[in-house]
Amino acid sequence: EDKVVQSPLSLVVHEGDTVTLNCSYEVTNFRSLLWYKQEKKAPTFLFMLTSSGIEKKSGRLSSILDKKELFSILNITATQTGDSAVYLCAVSGGSNYKLTFGKGTLLTVNP
Amino acid sequence: SAVISQKPSRDICQRGTSLTIQCQVDSQVTMMFWYRQQPGQSLTLIATANQGSEATYESGFVIDKFPISRPNLTFSTLTVSNMSPEDSSIYLCSVRTVSTDTQYFGPGTRLTVL
């Protein structure tokens, strides 16, 4: 059974801090790892990672995958209150493209 | 990315009734999925909606409780049948686009069962 573990489960920081969110996984026939931001109901897509060592970057957010050690990190620099959300990590494995999600990291950024 | 709409956005229902949720995509997609997110939990896949045939259900989910239709490449419905308070969740439609392996989510339906 595919498994995704995220840490920490919650995190409180001040504006301007840098945070690192962790995601480890076990999956049969790995296809990709995805990061989402969930503020209310709908998860918003952030990154999809398929290859080790290649950093994906979007503004203050970046992410990298290590397929040997089976983990990924999501970095957010110069955090803002608008970054407060649940960050979800998911893996896609096998031929049916279904996603297995971790429990998420609740990030709270205080002014 | 695809533009996905879901309706209703939210609903409050009585125990024993059924609710049908609609998902519409603005472009043809290869795969459509239905997820459930119970309060305080992460997302769990209910089923893959297959065009013109029966959906593929995950362990713990059955067709009698969650009938799904997908009559064409851009539209699907999920029905939550004979509801109980335990069915109170956010229900999310997601799609996999033709050009990428990425999955995008619709805005979700927040269901409360009294």
Side-chain angles (χ1 to χ4, degrees):
Chain A
E1 184 179 329
D2 298 346
K3 185 177 176 183
V4 177
V5 178
Q6 292 186 245
S7 64
L9 291 181
S10 66
L11 188 57
V12 180
V13 300
H14 289 101
E15 267 191 319
D17 289 350
T18 293
V19 298
T20 298
L21 310 183
N22 304 296
C23 175
S24 63
Y25 63 90
E26 297 172 20
V27 63
T28 305
N29 298 324
F30 175 88
R31 296 184 62 89
S32 58
L33 184 144
L34 297 92
W35 285 97
Y36 293 88
K37 177 182 182 183
Q38 186 177 32
E39 292 178 89
K40 291 183 179 178
K41 292 186 295 184
T44 304
F45 171 76
L46 295 175
F47 298 112
M48 185 178 74
L49 304 159
T50 56
S51 301
S52 275
I54 299 175
E55 184 182 53
K56 294 266 182 117
K57 196 170 173 64
S58 176
R60 297 176 294 101
L61 277 67
S62 63
S63 183
I64 198 162
L65 174 67
D66 185 329
K67 290 170 73 175
K68 181 179 177 185
E69 300 297 329
L70 306 182
F71 80 89
S72 173
I73 60 172
L74 174 68
N75 280 319
I76 308 174
T77 60
T79 52
Q80 303 170 356
T81 55
D83 295 326
S84 296
V86 174
Y87 289 84
L88 296 167
C89 174
V91 292
S92 172
S95 60
N96 61 359
Y97 300 99
K98 75 172 192 177
L99 295 180
T100 300
F101 281 84
K103 293 184 182 294
T105 294
L106 173 61
L107 174 64
T108 303
V109 182
N110 291 323
Chain B
S1 65
V3 177
I4 308 166
S5 60
Q6 264 185 253
K7 55 183 181 180
S9 172
R10 58 174 58 219
D11 209 339
I12 301 173
C13 301
Q14 296 298 318
R15 183 195 298 259
T17 62
S18 298
L19 176 72
T20 296
I21 303 167
Q22 298 180 6
C23 176
Q24 178 77 54
V25 189
D26 70 338
S27 58
Q28 291 187 357
V29 295
T30 56
M31 302 184 81
M32 297 180 77
F33 305 89
W34 287 98
Y35 288 83
R36 178 176 76 178
Q37 187 174 32
Q38 294 177 299
Q41 304 296 315
S42 194
L43 281 72
T44 301
L45 179 66
I46 298 172
T48 303
N50 300 310
Q51 189 213 346
S53 65
E54 191 172 292
T56 304
Y57 290 84
E58 295 299 304
S59 176
F61 297 96
V62 295
I63 188 171
D64 289 346
K65 176 66 176 177
F66 298 101
I68 289 170
S69 78
R70 188 180 172 192
N72 56 54
L73 288 174
T74 63
F75 183 78
S76 178
T77 66
L78 167 74
T79 299
V80 186
S81 302
N82 188 24
M83 288 184 285
S84 67
E86 292 71 34
D87 294 319
S88 297
S89 298
I90 297 172
Y91 291 87
L92 293 149
C93 166
S94 80
V95 303
R96 176 176 173 266
T97 61
V98 172
S99 57
T100 75
D101 219 355
T102 305
Q103 279 191 36
Y104 298 96
F105 284 83
T109 297
R110 186 183 299 276
L111 171 63
T112 302
V113 184
L114 302 177

